[in-house]
Structures are given as C-alpha cells and as structure tokens.
C-alpha cells in the first residue's frame, strides 16, 4: 500500500476483533503516511479502537463501517462512518465496575490528554471525526534544546554589545515579549484548573463513587506525592539554605497551618483567580463539581457548558504549549543579556542535578518495589522501558499513553477494567516528580531574590506543590504555567520565571518520565491488591 503518494485513503472493515484491529492499524499507518505526528497517530489509533469496541456492543448498526483519511490545507482529517440507528459511542453509559468509576470519567481524562473524537448523526449515518495539524519535523525535546542553545549563542554575542544597546533591546523588545508570554500562561492556568476539577468530578457520576475513587486511587496518589514532597523539601533546605524569617514556636507554626487551612475558603469568587490562589481555585471547583453531581438532572445544560468550556481551555492551553520553545529562548536570552545567567549558572546546575538525582532515586525505589509482585528489576526495566523512553524524549503524558496502555495490558497483565479507567486518571492527577520541581525551583528562586520564607511558607510550599502536581496540565511546558501561581503564593518576584524556564528545559522531561514510570508501578501494586493482576503475564519473560 503506497500511502505516501496519496492524499485520500478509505477502507471498509467489519466489527470482528480482526476487523477492529485492522481498522486501528489502518488509521495509525495512514495518519503517519499523510504527515500526522507519530504520537498523534498513536493517540488516534487508540481512540479509534476504543470507539469501535463501544460500537461493537451496540445494536441497530450496519455490519460494516468506513474509515476515511484525508489531507487538506496542511491538516489531516479522520472520519469513521457507520450506517444504522443513531449510536453515540462517546455518550455516558452504565458503569461497568462501580469500584473503579464510570466509562465517562475515563473518557473525560482521555479528552484532557487530547485523545478524543466528535460524534454526529447525519443522513442516516453515524459520523465520528477529528482534525489535527500535520506532524512537526522535530520533536519537542529537540526544539527546546535548539531554542536554549540558540539563546546561549545569541546571548554570548549580545554581551559584546555596549551596555546601552543591551538595555534598549531588553526594554523595547525582550521584556515586553516576556511579559506577554507570562500573561498568556497566567490568564489560562486558573480557569484551566477550575474547569478540569469541575468536569472531572461531574463525570464521576455520583458522590458514592467519588468517595470510592478518592479512597482507592486519589488518596494513595496524594499520600505518595506528599511523602516525596516532604523528602524533597528537606533536601532543598540542605542544598539551597534560603533565607528564613527566624525560628517559630510550635504555637506559631500551628497557627500558620490553621490560617492556611481556613484560607482555602475564598472571600469572593473573583479573588482566587486574580491572586492566583491554587487552593482556593480547586476548592471552588470541588464545591461546584459536587453540587452539579447532586443536581445533575436539573443542570444538564450547565454540564454541557462546562464540558465545552473545558474543551476550549484545553485547546488554548495546547496551542500555548506549542510556544514553549519560544518562551524558553526568550527566557534564556534575557538572563544572558542581564548577566543573571552567569551568576545563577552554578545554582541552576545544582537544581537540575538535585532534581534528577531525587527523581532517579524515586524511580529506583519504585522499580525495586516490584519485587514484591514477583518481578525482578531487570524484567521491570525491560517491560517499563518503552513508555519511559517516550516520556523522556517528549515530556508528554499523551505521547506515551498508547505505549503505557500496551505495557499495562500485555507486559504487566493488569486487567482492562482497571487499566481503562485508572491509567488515564493517573496520567492526569498522579505527578509526584512534578512535586520535585515545584519545591526545588521556588526555593532556589527565593534564595536568588533574597525572599525570606517562614515555617508556614515552607508548609504552604509543600501543600501547593502537591496540589499543583495534580492540577498541572500533562503537556510539554505545563509546569511553567503553574510556577506563576507558586511564586505569587510565596511572594517571589515573577521575574524568577526566567530561572524556572531555564531549569525546566531538562526537568520537564525527567519529571514526566519518572512519574509515568511510578504510575505503572502503582497500578501493578493496586491490581495485585484488588485481584486484577495476571501473574503469568507479569512474570512472562518474552
């Protein structure tokens, strides 16, 4: 099949297991041949397979369906056509397993990872479609590294210019551009966290299931992230020694914690977004989400508004993430021309080295823990290696998702009832290595800018780091959009975002790889405890 020479592809398949597999392969190969990015092709292959399996369980459909792929104006369009009665495979259905949550929640998490199709019924035919840009020639990692190297080179040349010229360049061009980028990140991250929280809770379906999910999954994820956060804070205090505002008595520390807890409740609905108060934004989202569950039948129109608003914000955030290499270039170039990069180089290297070391230690400990499940470290490396490498080179949970799904089902032997829900859920909310970033970078920035931190501020830093690790978007550069909220909370000048962006060149990639590795390990342990683990598949060597 010479796909490369064609701009329109069509194939007809049936609903047999072999036909569904062939259709999914056709989509993956066809999208790549038409110029789609490799990871986008994998995403859509996975989405198509899920849709066809959902359609397979429905009645009133024709026995065959058509898959069409077309390239128009630099974009690739994927369409699935199936005649018969109206049948939306993306609509919420009955929960297959009350202990794990509904299919709707799993789909909502997939949408947050960019794995979604759109359904409509027209002319007696069910249509599912999605449109995406043609693939980029270079990976996100290569773009970020190229931007950083180019900024270092141009910055080195810029240091040869007279001081007046450098100041003029900074004041008239670089600083305004930097502030514009910063404004884009700042204005979108608050609404994104609020809408993601509301939509995620609404899709759980009812308060009882919300409690089950919180107890079985989210509670464990938060416990692991919190423990790692405390360990990272101790390591950061030893390495960076930020200015502390004096020792506080136990009563003062307790009072600071109580005030922090009470401060979760906002004074009004606007203030949290203006001040960038992470805890208040998520508190409001949780309250609104629970109320919408309780009044679900009376708020169906509002639910659609929230869903569509969340899709808009996620799309905007994905578009902004494409500008991350430009933001990295701008940040590094500013630091070079200001002379701040040379002064902070040693500290930045310490941040990167300590963060990578802590992440590596966490990965090693998680890998060794699989021995309790009967998996040797060498077997674990072989089985978990492919998704780890994809995440390491893309800094994207979405890019690694298909490989993770294959790893769970085929390599680790985790039951699909757990995999289909817990994997997308964990990819969005379980980011323990992001806690690492949100503690080390702010403490380093506080040291550079001479910001004094109290004991209460340190506690707030750990809490915010854990919360932001849950709320951070799972896309390249997602961490940068959250640093603004962290710095505002700790009183660190937003100028420090340049330092955070420079450190994030490396840390975003290592953190993504580490947390996806940890997620696969934790799902293996969870499946074993719930009796959803195929021990034979787990221990299989080939």
């Amino acid at each position: 099949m010479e796909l490369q020479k064609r701009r329109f592809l069509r194939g007809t398949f049936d609903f047999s297991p072999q036909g569904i597999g062939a259709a999914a392969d056709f989509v993956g190969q066809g999208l790549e041949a038409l110029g789609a990015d490799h990871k986008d092709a994998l995403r859509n292959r996975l989405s198509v397979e899920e849709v066809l399996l959902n359609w397979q369980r429905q009645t009133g459909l024709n026995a065959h369906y058509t898959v069409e792929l077309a390239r128009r104006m630099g974009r690739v369009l994927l369409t699935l056509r199936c005649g018969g009665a109206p049948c939306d495979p993306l609509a919420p259905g009955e929960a297959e397993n009350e202990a794990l949550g509904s299919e709707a929640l799993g789909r909502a998490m997939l949408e947050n990872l960019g794995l979604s199709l759109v359904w409509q019924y027209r002319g007696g035919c069910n249509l599912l479609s999605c449109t995406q840009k043609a693939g980029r020639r270079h990976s996100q990692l290569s773009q970020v590294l190229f931007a950083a190297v180019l900024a270092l080179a141009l910055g080195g040349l810029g240091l040869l210019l007279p001081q007046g010229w450098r100041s003029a360049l900074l004041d008239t061009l670089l600083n305004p551009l930097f502030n514009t980028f910063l404004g884009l990140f700042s204005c979108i991250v608050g609404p994104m966290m609020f809408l993601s929280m509301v939509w995620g809770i609404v899709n759980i379906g009812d308060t009882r299931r919300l409690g089950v999910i919180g107890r079985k999954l989210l509670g464990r994820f938060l416990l692991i992230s919190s423990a790692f956060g405390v360990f990272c804070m101790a390591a950061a205090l030893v390495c960076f020694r930020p200015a502390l505002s004096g020792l506080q008595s136990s009563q003062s520390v307790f009072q600071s914690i109580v005030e922090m807890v009470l401060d979760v409740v906002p004074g009004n609905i606007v203030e949290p977004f203006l001040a960038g108060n992470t805890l208040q934004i998520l508190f409001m989202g949780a309250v609104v989400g629970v109320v919408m569950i309780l009044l679900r039948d009376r708020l169906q129109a509002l639910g659609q508004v929230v869903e569509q608003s969340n899709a808009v914000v996620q799309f905007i955030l994905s578009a902004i993430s494409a500008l991350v290499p430009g933001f990295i270039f701008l940040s590094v170039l500013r630091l070079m021309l200001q002379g701040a990069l040379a002064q902070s180089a040693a500290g930045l290297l310490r941040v990167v080295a300590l963060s990578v070391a802590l992440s590596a230690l966490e990965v090693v400990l998680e890998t060794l823990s699989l021995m309790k499940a009967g998996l040797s470290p060498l077997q674990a490396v072989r089985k978990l290696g492919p998704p780890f490498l994809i995440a390491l080179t893309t800094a994207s949970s979405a890019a690694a998702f298909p490989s993770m799904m294959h790893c769970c089902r085929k390599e680790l032997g985790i039951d699909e009832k757990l995999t289909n829900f817990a994997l997308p859920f964990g990819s969005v909310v379980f980011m323990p290595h992001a806690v690492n970033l949100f503690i080390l970078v702010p403490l380093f920035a506080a040291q550079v800018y001479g910001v004094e931190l109290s004991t209460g501020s340190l506690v707030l830093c750990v809490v915010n780091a854990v919360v932001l690790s849950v709320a951070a978007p799972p896309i390249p550069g997602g961490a940068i959009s959250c640093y603004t909220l962290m710095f505002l909370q700790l009183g660190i000048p937003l100028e420090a975002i340049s330092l955070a962006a420079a450190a994030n060149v490396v840390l975003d990639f290592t953190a993504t790889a580490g947390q996806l590795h940890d997620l696969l390990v934790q799902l293996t342990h969870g499946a074993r405890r719930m009796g959803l683990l195929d021990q034979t598949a787990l221990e299989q060597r080939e």
Side-chain angles (χ1 to χ4, degrees):
M1 186 167 53
E2 296 183 1
L3 298 176
Q4 293 84 352
K5 298 181 180 179
R6 305 176 60 182
R7 300 177 65 86
F8 179 79
L9 304 170
R10 175 184 291 163
T12 301
F13 307 90
D14 57 36
F15 283 107
S16 67
Q18 296 80 7
I20 292 176
D25 290 338
F26 176 82
V27 169
Q29 296 172 10
L31 285 173
E32 288 195 63
L34 291 173
D37 186 80
H38 175 67
K39 66 176 183 292
D40 288 334
L42 291 176
R43 294 180 193 178
N44 284 284
R45 185 196 186 285
L46 180 67
S47 294
V48 166
E49 189 173 21
E50 182 190 9
V51 164
L52 294 177
L53 288 173
N54 287 339
W55 259 351
Q56 186 185 47
R57 294 191 287 266
Q58 306 296 326
T59 57
L61 294 173
N62 292 346
H64 293 81
Y65 52 90
T66 301
V67 180
E68 298 177 356
L69 296 167
R71 181 183 175 97
R72 299 189 183 97
M73 299 179 66
R75 304 184 71 88
V76 180
L77 174 65
L78 164 64
T79 305
L80 278 69
R81 301 177 183 271
C82 184
C87 177
D88 180 6
L90 308 178
E94 296 183 359
E96 293 187 353
N97 192 317
E98 294 292 333
L100 301 178
S102 67
E103 290 182 357
L105 177 59
R107 280 191 293 274
M109 295 301 171
L110 288 174
E111 287 174 4
N112 284 337
L113 290 172
L115 308 171
S116 61
L117 293 167
V118 177
W119 173 84
Q120 56 181 317
Y121 187 74
R122 191 170 59 198
C125 185
N126 293 277
L127 300 176
L128 278 138
S129 61
C130 71
T131 306
Q132 60 192 45
K133 294 180 180 179
R136 294 174 296 188
R137 299 172 115 189
H138 305 289
S139 68
Q140 182 85 9
L141 175 61
S142 63
Q143 291 182 9
V144 167
L145 292 179
F146 176 77
V149 171
L150 181 61
L152 289 172
L154 293 179
L157 294 175
L159 292 176
L160 302 177
L161 297 174
Q163 179 63 41
W165 290 18
R166 276 184 281 160
S167 299
L169 182 61
L170 285 167
D171 294 338
T172 60
L173 180 61
L174 298 184
N175 288 337
L177 283 175
F178 177 80
N179 292 332
T180 301
F181 270 106
L182 199 57
L184 285 173
F185 286 122
S186 300
C187 74
I188 199 67
V189 67
M192 180 274 299
M193 288 194 297
F194 175 79
L195 290 170
S196 293
M197 173 65 76
V198 174
W199 184 233
I201 292 177
V202 167
N203 275 280
I204 290 176
D206 58 62
T207 54
R208 184 177 64 84
R209 189 177 296 131
L210 177 62
V212 171
I213 291 172
R215 185 175 65 255
K216 286 188 175 294
L217 289 175
L218 186 57
R220 182 174 180 82
F221 291 162
L222 291 178
L223 179 62
I224 293 173
S225 296
S226 299
F228 191 43
V230 172
F231 181 71
C232 290
M233 174 60 74
L237 290 175
V238 171
C239 291
F240 300 126
R241 300 185 182 276
L244 300 178
S245 57
L247 296 176
Q248 294 178 283
S249 64
S250 57
Q251 180 179 355
S252 299
V253 173
F254 178 75
Q255 183 179 357
S256 299
I257 295 175
V258 170
E259 291 176 353
M260 181 184 66
V261 173
L262 295 179
D263 189 54
V264 169
V265 181
N268 57 68
I269 62 174
V270 178
E271 181 183 355
F273 297 96
L274 295 178
N277 192 312
T278 310
L279 299 179
Q280 291 181 352
I281 291 172
L282 294 181
F283 174 80
M284 290 173 56
V287 171
V288 172
V290 171
V291 171
M292 289 184 65
I293 285 181
L294 295 175
L295 302 177
R296 190 180 189 102
D297 294 337
R298 298 164 57 184
L299 300 177
Q300 293 182 357
L302 181 59
Q304 294 179 355
V305 171
V306 171
E307 177 186 7
Q308 293 167 2
S309 299
N310 183 54
V312 170
V313 171
Q314 292 289 338
F315 182 85
I316 294 174
L317 189 64
S318 298
I320 293 176
S321 74
L323 303 176
V324 166
F327 183 72
I328 296 294
F329 170 81
L330 197 58
S331 299
V332 175
L333 183 58
R334 286 179 71 250
L335 289 174
M336 285 288 293
L337 295 181
Q338 291 171 345
L341 187 60
Q343 298 173 5
S344 307
L348 283 172
L349 288 176
R350 275 193 297 159
V351 170
V352 172
L354 180 59
S355 178
V356 172
L358 291 173
S359 291
L361 177 61
E362 173 74 4
V363 167
V364 170
L365 292 177
E366 290 279 4
T367 302
L368 293 177
S369 72
L370 287 174
M371 296 176 67
K372 295 189 298 184
L375 193 65
S376 70
L378 289 178
Q379 286 179 289
V381 170
R382 183 184 64 80
K383 290 175 178 285
L384 302 178
F388 180 88
L389 292 176
I390 293 175
L392 185 63
T393 55
T394 62
S396 172
S397 302
F401 191 85
S403 180
M404 293 171 66
M405 184 68 77
H406 172 81
C407 181
C408 284
R409 292 174 174 175
K410 305 298 183 182
E411 300 291 344
L412 300 177
I414 301 175
D415 194 288
E416 289 190 5
K417 288 183 293 186
L418 177 62
T419 299
N420 291 342
F421 164 71
L423 189 59
F425 180 79
S427 297
V428 174
V429 304
F430 184 50
M431 300 186 180
H433 294 256
V435 177
N436 182 345
L437 275 62
F438 294 140
I439 290 177
L440 297 186
V441 174
L443 259 66
F444 167 66
Q447 180 194 46
V448 171
Y449 285 87
V451 177
E452 290 190 352
L453 301 175
S454 65
T455 305
S457 297
L458 298 180
V459 175
L460 179 62
C461 182
V462 174
V463 173
N464 269 336
V466 174
V467 171
L468 284 175
S469 72
V470 175
I475 57 175
I480 294 178
S481 63
C482 296
Y483 283 121
T484 56
L485 298 180
M486 177 68 83
F487 288 177
L488 286 171
Q489 289 273 272
L490 297 178
I492 299 172
L494 291 183
E495 279 287 310
I497 295 294
S498 292
L499 296 175
N504 212 67
V505 171
V506 176
L507 299 185
D508 203 12
F509 295 89
T510 57
T512 303
Q515 56 212 21
L516 294 189
H517 175 276
D518 291 358
L519 174 60
L520 293 176
V521 173
Q522 290 303 318
L523 291 185
T524 304
H525 291 314
R528 185 167 64 94
R529 288 192 301 271
M530 289 185 278
L532 298 174
L533 184 68
D534 184 346
Q535 196 69 32
T536 302
L538 177 68
E539 298 177 358
Q540 186 175 7
R541 295 180 180 274
E542 298 296 335

